[in-house]
Amino acid sequence: MRIGIIGAGYIGGTLTRKLAGLGHDVRVANSRAPETLAELAADTGATAVWAADAATDAELVIVSIPQKNVPALAPGIVAKAVDGAPVVETNNYYPRQRDGRIEAIEDGTPESVWVAEQIGSPVFKVFNGIFWKHLLERGTPAGTQGRIALPVAGDGPGKQTVLDLVDALGFDPVDAGSLAESWRQQPGTPVYGKDFDADGVRAALAEASPERPAEFRA
């Protein structure tokens, strides 16, 4: 696939490496000039571009940036993708550690619903709760006992594409329901930061509470 990745931090950079390694045509951008990603591009074969161009003609788009920076993305930044291309977002809201107060999220809007509203596109939430080194190093073939599973929340026909991508990266995809239910995998929930298998992920999602833990409130 042609994949556009907006954000080249720990998760965005890791996905660039993994997806390029699988043979996808990856374009990656950060908040600065493409030249600042020259090393990543050289290491992976991905193409470094300006953020405004990352989604152009992409068949899948990944947004992986600090939550506080989402409103600063250019209007329509994912609109240049192929019609119907799924948009994945990996973000987390850390009000005390990084992002400051985002009123709508504090009032109960799920983090990924807020992102979708900001960028004007439906999104799928995945890769937000796995440690980047585990994403890079711990993928295993399908059927491996104890294979790490990742929840995927979101709506629409692009979901199967996202589920298949998770599997191709070496993890069991677990359908975590609609985007409105994506709070079940936010920071502080039972599944967040854990390397559960598929059964463990399903159990953790079921145990989640919509009440945001104090340490993840502004």
Side-chain angles (χ1 to χ4, degrees):
M1 288 189 294
R2 294 186 302 276
I3 298 176
I5 301 179
I6 300 168
Y10 288 125
I11 295 296
T14 297
L15 288 171
T16 298
R17 293 182 183 279
K18 295 277 285 185
L19 293 169
L22 289 174
H24 296 287
D25 177 7
V26 178
R27 280 174 293 182
V28 61
N30 59 14
S31 59
R32 295 169 291 160
E35 292 76 17
T36 62
L37 294 175
E39 184 176 349
L40 179 63
D43 286 348
T44 63
T47 302
V49 298
W50 291 98
D53 299 324
T56 301
D57 296 326
E59 295 164 294
L60 183 138
V61 180
I62 298 171
V63 178
S64 186
I65 64 175
Q67 197 82 336
K68 66 179 180 179
N69 294 345
V70 172
L73 291 173
I77 194 164
V78 301
K80 297 178 183 178
V82 171
D83 188 38
V87 178
V88 167
E89 74 95 20
T90 77
N91 303 356
N92 290 307
Y93 172 53
Y94 301 125
R96 299 187 184 186
Q97 300 90 338
R98 182 190 64 195
D99 297 315
R101 184 182 186 90
I102 297 176
E103 204 65 45
I105 297 177
E106 292 290 332
D107 288 344
T109 299
E111 296 171 15
S112 293
V113 172
W114 181 82
V115 171
E117 291 171 351
Q118 299 302 305
I119 67 173
S121 170
V123 300
F124 295 93
K125 186 179 190 73
V126 63
F127 305 121
N128 73 296
I130 184 170
F131 181 44
W132 70 271
K133 283 190 176 181
H134 296 184
L135 178 61
L136 180 65
E137 300 170 353
R138 296 195 180 181
T140 57
T144 302
Q145 187 169 1
R147 192 188 200 205
I148 296 172
L150 300 178
V152 179
D155 314 276
K159 193 168 200 175
Q160 190 58 52
T161 299
V162 179
L163 295 171
D164 290 345
L165 189 72
V166 171
D167 184 42
L169 287 166
F171 304 92
D172 277 343
V174 172
D175 191 330
S178 70
L179 197 66
E181 291 285 302
S182 61
W183 54 265
R184 294 182 181 276
Q185 64 195 79
Q186 292 177 170
T189 59
V191 78
Y192 180 78
K194 305 297 194 301
D195 287 340
F196 293 138
D197 64 9
D199 288 340
V201 165
R202 293 186 189 99
L205 291 170
E207 293 169 5
S209 166
E211 184 69 25
R212 183 177 294 279
E215 60 267 34
F216 294 105
R217 296 191 68 90

